[in-house]
Amino acid sequence: MRRSYQAILAAALTFTSLPALAEHTCPENNDYLQRDLAKAMIRELVAEGGDEARIRQVLGSAQCQPKILESIARPAEKTHTWATYQKIFLQESRVQKAVEFSREHADTLARAEQTYGVPREIILAIIGVETRYGQHMGTYRVVDALATLGFDYPPRASFFRKQLKALFELEQKAHIDADAITGSYAGAMGYGQFIPTSYQAYAVDFDNDGITDLVNNPVDAIGSVANYFHEHRWQPGQPVAARARVEGNGYQPLAKKGYKPSFTLDRAGQAGVTAISCQGSGVTSEYCFDLPGDTRVALLDLEGLQGTEFWLATDNFYVITRYNHSRLYAMAVLQLSRDITAALESSQ
Protein backbone atom coordinates (compact mmCIF):
# COMPACT_ATOMS: atom_id res chain seq x y z
CA MET A 1 0.00 0.00 0.00
CA ARG A 2 1.30 3.43 -0.93
CA ARG A 3 1.71 5.84 1.92
CA SER A 4 1.74 9.58 2.34
CA TYR A 5 4.86 11.71 2.65
CA GLN A 6 4.15 12.32 6.34
CA ALA A 7 3.91 8.57 7.05
CA ILE A 8 7.02 7.51 5.19
CA LEU A 9 9.11 10.46 6.32
CA ALA A 10 8.30 9.88 9.99
CA ALA A 11 9.21 6.22 9.64
CA ALA A 12 12.52 7.13 8.05
CA LEU A 13 13.40 9.56 10.82
CA THR A 14 12.87 6.83 13.39
CA PHE A 15 15.97 5.10 12.08
CA THR A 16 18.12 8.16 11.48
CA SER A 17 19.94 10.11 14.18
CA LEU A 18 19.45 13.88 14.30
CA PRO A 19 23.19 14.66 14.38
CA ALA A 20 23.70 12.69 11.17
CA LEU A 21 20.83 14.51 9.45
CA ALA A 22 22.17 17.90 10.42
CA GLU A 23 25.44 17.23 8.56
CA HIS A 24 23.85 17.32 5.11
CA THR A 25 24.54 20.51 3.18
CA CYS A 26 24.05 21.87 -0.33
CA PRO A 27 27.02 21.35 -2.67
CA GLU A 28 28.82 24.17 -4.42
CA ASN A 29 27.83 22.75 -7.81
CA ASN A 30 24.07 23.14 -7.86
CA ASP A 31 23.37 22.11 -11.47
CA TYR A 32 21.03 19.15 -11.08
CA LEU A 33 21.03 18.49 -14.83
CA GLN A 34 24.64 17.32 -14.49
CA ARG A 35 23.79 14.64 -11.93
CA ASP A 36 23.88 11.09 -13.31
CA LEU A 37 20.75 10.19 -11.34
CA ALA A 38 18.92 13.18 -12.79
CA LYS A 39 19.92 12.18 -16.31
CA ALA A 40 18.57 8.68 -15.67
CA MET A 41 15.28 10.10 -14.39
CA ILE A 42 14.93 12.33 -17.44
CA ARG A 43 15.44 9.33 -19.73
CA GLU A 44 12.71 7.43 -17.86
CA LEU A 45 10.26 10.31 -18.10
CA VAL A 46 10.93 10.82 -21.80
CA ALA A 47 10.49 7.07 -22.45
CA GLU A 48 7.09 7.38 -20.79
CA GLY A 49 6.07 10.22 -23.09
CA GLY A 50 7.34 13.24 -21.17
CA ASP A 51 8.46 16.45 -22.84
CA GLU A 52 12.26 16.43 -22.52
CA ALA A 53 12.65 20.16 -23.10
CA ARG A 54 10.10 20.99 -20.42
CA ILE A 55 11.60 18.53 -17.93
CA ARG A 56 15.08 19.91 -18.46
CA GLN A 57 13.79 23.47 -18.15
CA VAL A 58 12.10 22.83 -14.79
CA LEU A 59 14.80 20.63 -13.30
CA GLY A 60 17.50 22.99 -14.53
CA SER A 61 15.87 25.81 -12.55
CA ALA A 62 15.83 23.82 -9.29
CA GLN A 63 17.92 25.17 -6.44
CA CYS A 64 19.23 23.30 -3.41
CA GLN A 65 17.73 24.86 -0.27
CA PRO A 66 19.81 24.64 2.96
CA LYS A 67 16.74 25.43 5.09
CA ILE A 68 15.02 22.32 3.75
CA LEU A 69 17.90 20.14 4.92
CA GLU A 70 17.74 21.87 8.31
CA SER A 71 13.97 21.40 8.58
CA ILE A 72 13.98 17.70 7.78
CA ALA A 73 16.52 17.18 10.54
CA ARG A 74 14.20 18.55 13.22
CA PRO A 75 10.53 17.62 12.64
CA ALA A 76 8.13 18.87 15.32
CA GLU A 77 7.01 15.34 16.19
CA LYS A 78 10.56 14.52 17.32
CA THR A 79 11.20 17.64 19.40
CA HIS A 80 7.93 18.15 21.33
CA THR A 81 6.03 16.49 24.14
CA TRP A 82 2.24 16.38 24.02
CA ALA A 83 2.18 19.35 26.40
CA THR A 84 4.02 21.57 23.91
CA TYR A 85 2.74 20.00 20.69
CA GLN A 86 -0.93 20.57 21.50
CA LYS A 87 -0.35 24.30 21.89
CA ILE A 88 0.61 24.47 18.22
CA PHE A 89 -2.69 23.08 16.91
CA LEU A 90 -5.40 23.32 19.57
CA GLN A 91 -6.14 27.01 19.15
CA GLU A 92 -9.46 28.82 19.20
CA SER A 93 -8.54 30.70 16.02
CA ARG A 94 -8.08 27.40 14.17
CA VAL A 95 -11.42 26.14 15.46
CA GLN A 96 -13.21 29.28 14.32
CA LYS A 97 -11.64 28.98 10.89
CA ALA A 98 -12.93 25.41 10.79
CA VAL A 99 -16.47 26.63 11.48
CA GLU A 100 -16.21 29.12 8.61
CA PHE A 101 -14.78 26.49 6.24
CA SER A 102 -17.47 24.01 7.29
CA ARG A 103 -20.29 26.45 6.59
CA GLU A 104 -18.85 27.27 3.18
CA HIS A 105 -18.46 23.62 2.22
CA ALA A 106 -21.26 21.98 4.22
CA ASP A 107 -22.73 20.06 1.27
CA THR A 108 -19.32 18.78 0.17
CA LEU A 109 -18.42 17.62 3.67
CA ALA A 110 -21.76 15.84 4.02
CA ARG A 111 -21.27 14.11 0.67
CA ALA A 112 -17.72 13.08 1.59
CA GLU A 113 -18.93 11.61 4.88
CA GLN A 114 -21.70 9.72 3.12
CA THR A 115 -19.43 8.48 0.32
CA TYR A 116 -16.41 7.43 2.37
CA GLY A 117 -17.72 7.02 5.93
CA VAL A 118 -15.28 9.53 7.40
CA PRO A 119 -16.79 12.13 9.80
CA ARG A 120 -16.70 15.74 8.65
CA GLU A 121 -14.90 16.80 11.84
CA ILE A 122 -11.98 14.46 11.09
CA ILE A 123 -11.71 15.82 7.54
CA LEU A 124 -11.86 19.36 8.91
CA ALA A 125 -9.25 18.63 11.57
CA ILE A 126 -6.80 17.22 9.02
CA ILE A 127 -7.08 20.21 6.72
CA GLY A 128 -6.90 22.51 9.73
CA VAL A 129 -3.73 20.94 11.10
CA GLU A 130 -2.09 20.74 7.69
CA THR A 131 -2.78 24.18 6.20
CA ARG A 132 -5.26 26.16 8.34
CA TYR A 133 -7.86 25.58 5.63
CA GLY A 134 -5.66 26.60 2.75
CA GLN A 135 -4.06 29.63 4.39
CA HIS A 136 -0.59 28.07 4.72
CA MET A 137 0.15 25.54 1.97
CA GLY A 138 3.90 26.05 2.02
CA THR A 139 6.28 28.55 0.45
CA TYR A 140 8.98 26.34 -1.05
CA ARG A 141 8.89 25.56 -4.75
CA VAL A 142 8.07 21.87 -4.81
CA VAL A 143 10.71 21.17 -7.45
CA ASP A 144 13.33 22.80 -5.19
CA ALA A 145 12.22 20.72 -2.22
CA LEU A 146 12.17 17.41 -4.07
CA ALA A 147 15.44 18.05 -5.91
CA THR A 148 17.17 19.08 -2.69
CA LEU A 149 16.03 15.94 -0.89
CA GLY A 150 16.26 13.68 -3.91
CA PHE A 151 19.86 14.51 -4.77
CA ASP A 152 21.40 16.05 -1.63
CA TYR A 153 19.79 14.08 1.21
CA PRO A 154 21.19 10.53 0.96
CA PRO A 155 19.11 8.89 3.74
CA ARG A 156 15.88 9.25 1.73
CA ALA A 157 17.15 10.28 -1.70
CA SER A 158 15.55 7.39 -3.58
CA PHE A 159 12.15 8.13 -2.07
CA PHE A 160 12.26 11.83 -2.91
CA ARG A 161 13.49 11.22 -6.45
CA LYS A 162 10.41 9.06 -6.86
CA GLN A 163 8.34 12.04 -5.70
CA LEU A 164 10.15 14.32 -8.16
CA LYS A 165 9.42 11.94 -11.02
CA ALA A 166 5.76 11.83 -9.96
CA LEU A 167 5.64 15.64 -9.92
CA PHE A 168 6.50 15.74 -13.63
CA GLU A 169 3.89 13.06 -14.32
CA LEU A 170 1.29 15.13 -12.45
CA GLU A 171 2.07 18.17 -14.57
CA GLN A 172 0.47 16.43 -17.51
CA LYS A 173 -2.33 14.60 -15.69
CA ALA A 174 -3.40 17.08 -12.99
CA HIS A 175 -2.62 20.41 -14.66
CA ILE A 176 0.08 21.18 -12.08
CA ASP A 177 2.76 23.69 -13.06
CA ALA A 178 5.87 21.87 -11.86
CA ASP A 179 7.95 25.00 -12.25
CA ALA A 180 5.78 27.22 -10.06
CA ILE A 181 3.80 25.16 -7.57
CA THR A 182 4.77 25.68 -3.92
CA GLY A 183 4.39 23.44 -0.91
CA SER A 184 6.07 22.17 2.25
CA TYR A 185 9.78 21.65 2.80
CA ALA A 186 9.31 18.03 1.69
CA GLY A 187 7.19 18.64 -1.37
CA ALA A 188 3.67 18.23 0.02
CA MET A 189 1.01 20.22 -1.81
CA GLY A 190 -2.48 21.62 -1.44
CA TYR A 191 -5.10 21.87 1.27
CA GLY A 192 -4.33 18.39 2.62
CA GLN A 193 -0.59 18.40 1.89
CA PHE A 194 -0.34 15.39 -0.41
CA ILE A 195 3.05 14.43 -1.78
CA PRO A 196 3.08 13.57 -5.50
CA THR A 197 2.71 9.79 -5.14
CA SER A 198 -0.14 10.22 -2.66
CA TYR A 199 -1.70 12.69 -5.08
CA GLN A 200 -1.54 9.98 -7.74
CA ALA A 201 -2.86 7.26 -5.44
CA TYR A 202 -5.61 8.94 -3.41
CA ALA A 203 -6.67 12.25 -4.97
CA VAL A 204 -10.19 12.30 -6.43
CA ASP A 205 -12.06 14.63 -8.76
CA PHE A 206 -14.83 15.17 -6.24
CA ASP A 207 -16.70 17.81 -8.21
CA ASN A 208 -16.44 15.88 -11.50
CA ASP A 209 -15.06 18.79 -13.52
CA GLY A 210 -12.43 16.63 -15.20
CA ILE A 211 -9.51 18.01 -13.16
CA THR A 212 -8.24 16.63 -9.85
CA ASP A 213 -6.99 19.79 -8.16
CA LEU A 214 -5.97 19.70 -4.50
CA VAL A 215 -4.26 23.09 -4.59
CA ASN A 216 -7.00 25.43 -5.80
CA ASN A 217 -10.15 23.33 -5.34
CA PRO A 218 -11.28 22.68 -1.75
CA VAL A 219 -14.01 20.33 -3.01
CA ASP A 220 -11.46 17.95 -4.49
CA ALA A 221 -9.31 18.36 -1.36
CA ILE A 222 -12.16 17.40 0.97
CA GLY A 223 -13.03 14.33 -1.08
CA SER A 224 -9.40 13.30 -1.36
CA VAL A 225 -8.72 13.49 2.39
CA ALA A 226 -11.83 11.38 2.99
CA ASN A 227 -10.75 8.89 0.33
CA TYR A 228 -7.29 8.66 1.89
CA PHE A 229 -8.83 7.64 5.22
CA HIS A 230 -11.25 5.25 3.52
CA GLU A 231 -8.41 3.55 1.66
CA HIS A 232 -6.52 3.17 4.94
CA ARG A 233 -9.53 1.33 6.44
CA TRP A 234 -11.24 3.93 8.60
CA GLN A 235 -14.05 2.17 10.49
CA PRO A 236 -17.24 4.31 10.53
CA GLY A 237 -18.74 4.66 13.98
CA GLN A 238 -15.73 3.39 15.91
CA PRO A 239 -14.40 5.76 18.62
CA VAL A 240 -10.83 6.93 18.19
CA ALA A 241 -9.50 6.91 21.76
CA ALA A 242 -10.52 7.14 25.40
CA ARG A 243 -8.73 8.33 28.50
CA ALA A 244 -7.66 5.41 30.65
CA ARG A 245 -7.25 4.64 34.33
CA VAL A 246 -4.14 2.71 35.32
CA GLU A 247 -3.57 0.66 38.47
CA GLY A 248 -0.18 -0.78 39.36
CA ASN A 249 2.76 -1.24 37.00
CA GLY A 250 1.35 -3.98 34.80
CA TYR A 251 0.63 -1.44 32.08
CA GLN A 252 4.28 -0.79 31.30
CA PRO A 253 4.85 -3.66 28.81
CA LEU A 254 1.68 -2.63 26.96
CA ALA A 255 2.79 0.99 26.70
CA LYS A 256 6.00 -0.14 25.02
CA LYS A 257 4.13 -1.83 22.17
CA GLY A 258 3.55 1.42 20.30
CA TYR A 259 0.41 3.01 18.89
CA LYS A 260 -0.69 0.19 16.58
CA PRO A 261 -3.46 -1.77 18.35
CA SER A 262 -2.02 -5.16 19.25
CA PHE A 263 -3.97 -6.39 22.29
CA THR A 264 -7.58 -6.46 23.45
CA LEU A 265 -9.43 -4.39 26.00
CA ASP A 266 -9.74 -7.57 28.07
CA ARG A 267 -5.96 -7.94 28.05
CA ALA A 268 -5.60 -4.28 29.04
CA GLY A 269 -7.95 -4.85 31.94
CA GLN A 270 -5.87 -7.78 33.15
CA ALA A 271 -2.88 -5.41 33.21
CA GLY A 272 -4.78 -2.85 35.29
CA VAL A 273 -5.77 -0.53 32.43
CA THR A 274 -9.40 0.42 31.86
CA ALA A 275 -11.00 2.93 29.54
CA ILE A 276 -13.18 5.64 31.07
CA SER A 277 -16.77 4.61 30.49
CA CYS A 278 -19.37 6.93 28.99
CA GLN A 279 -22.09 5.33 31.12
CA GLY A 280 -23.37 6.69 34.43
CA SER A 281 -22.66 9.87 36.35
CA GLY A 282 -19.03 9.12 37.06
CA VAL A 283 -17.75 10.23 33.66
CA THR A 284 -14.80 12.58 34.12
CA SER A 285 -13.76 12.97 30.47
CA GLU A 286 -15.47 13.52 27.13
CA TYR A 287 -12.94 11.04 25.77
CA CYS A 288 -14.62 7.82 26.81
CA PHE A 289 -15.96 4.66 25.20
CA ASP A 290 -17.71 1.39 25.98
CA LEU A 291 -16.50 -1.22 23.54
CA PRO A 292 -16.48 -5.05 23.54
CA GLY A 293 -13.66 -6.75 25.40
CA ASP A 294 -12.24 -8.22 22.19
CA THR A 295 -11.68 -4.76 20.65
CA ARG A 296 -8.04 -4.26 19.67
CA VAL A 297 -6.39 -1.25 21.29
CA ALA A 298 -3.03 0.37 21.98
CA LEU A 299 -1.94 2.06 25.21
CA LEU A 300 -0.52 5.57 24.98
CA ASP A 301 1.32 7.42 27.72
CA LEU A 302 1.69 11.09 26.85
CA GLU A 303 3.37 13.86 28.81
CA GLY A 304 0.58 16.42 28.99
CA LEU A 305 0.05 19.76 30.67
CA GLN A 306 -0.94 18.10 33.95
CA GLY A 307 1.55 15.24 33.87
CA THR A 308 1.32 11.78 32.31
CA GLU A 309 -1.91 11.00 30.44
CA PHE A 310 -2.95 7.44 29.65
CA TRP A 311 -5.10 6.66 26.62
CA LEU A 312 -6.51 3.55 24.99
CA ALA A 313 -6.52 4.00 21.21
CA THR A 314 -8.43 2.01 18.58
CA ASP A 315 -7.69 1.12 14.97
CA ASN A 316 -9.12 4.49 13.90
CA PHE A 317 -6.40 6.26 15.87
CA TYR A 318 -3.91 4.16 13.96
CA VAL A 319 -5.54 5.20 10.67
CA ILE A 320 -4.89 8.85 11.55
CA THR A 321 -1.21 7.98 12.01
CA ARG A 322 -1.14 6.72 8.41
CA TYR A 323 -1.41 10.38 7.45
CA ASN A 324 1.52 11.22 9.74
CA HIS A 325 3.42 8.55 11.67
CA SER A 326 3.13 10.34 14.99
CA ARG A 327 0.92 9.69 18.00
CA LEU A 328 1.16 13.40 18.84
CA TYR A 329 -0.18 14.29 15.40
CA ALA A 330 -3.05 11.83 15.70
CA MET A 331 -3.96 13.10 19.16
CA ALA A 332 -3.95 16.68 17.89
CA VAL A 333 -6.30 15.70 15.05
CA LEU A 334 -8.61 13.89 17.48
CA GLN A 335 -8.83 16.73 19.97
CA LEU A 336 -9.14 19.42 17.31
CA SER A 337 -11.98 17.41 15.76
CA ARG A 338 -13.78 17.39 19.11
CA ASP A 339 -13.30 21.13 19.52
CA ILE A 340 -14.64 21.66 16.01
CA THR A 341 -17.70 19.51 16.73
CA ALA A 342 -18.46 21.48 19.88
CA ALA A 343 -18.06 24.78 18.05
CA LEU A 344 -20.31 23.70 15.19
CA GLU A 345 -23.00 22.55 17.62
CA SER A 346 -22.88 25.77 19.61
CA SER A 347 -23.10 27.90 16.45
CA GLN A 348 -26.34 26.31 15.26
Side-chain angles (χ1 to χ4, degrees), residues 151-281:
F151 297 109
D152 294 311
Y153 178 61
R156 295 299 297 164
S158 177
F159 168 74
F160 285 109
R161 284 197 303 275
K162 181 179 180 181
Q163 301 308 316
L164 181 59
K165 184 172 182 284
L167 175 66
F168 286 110
E169 294 167 349
L170 283 170
E171 184 168 51
Q172 294 183 348
K173 299 177 182 178
H175 299 270
I176 286 175
D177 185 344
D179 193 37
I181 189 169
T182 58
S184 75
Y185 69 80
M189 303 172 287
Y191 283 84
Q193 294 291 275
F194 278 31
I195 52 165
T197 55
S198 290
Y199 205 123
Q200 292 175 320
Y202 305 111
V204 296
D205 176 14
F206 206 49
D207 62 359
N208 298 310
D209 67 351
I211 301 173
T212 305
D213 182 359
L214 307 187
V215 179
N216 305 297
N217 189 340
V219 175
D220 285 355
I222 289 168
S224 298
V225 170
N227 182 51
Y228 188 97
F229 274 71
H230 172 74
E231 290 295 322
H232 285 81
R233 301 182 181 180
W234 178 270
Q235 298 181 30
Q238 183 186 70
V240 175
R243 291 293 295 267
R245 297 187 178 92
V246 172
E247 295 182 3
N249 296 319
Y251 75 90
Q252 293 177 347
L254 300 184
K256 295 178 180 178
K257 290 181 176 291
Y259 50 70
K260 183 175 183 179
S262 59
F263 52 87
T264 66
L265 279 172
D266 284 340
R267 173 70 185 90
Q270 294 168 3
V273 183
T274 56
I276 291 180
S277 171
C278 301
Q279 305 298 321
S281 59

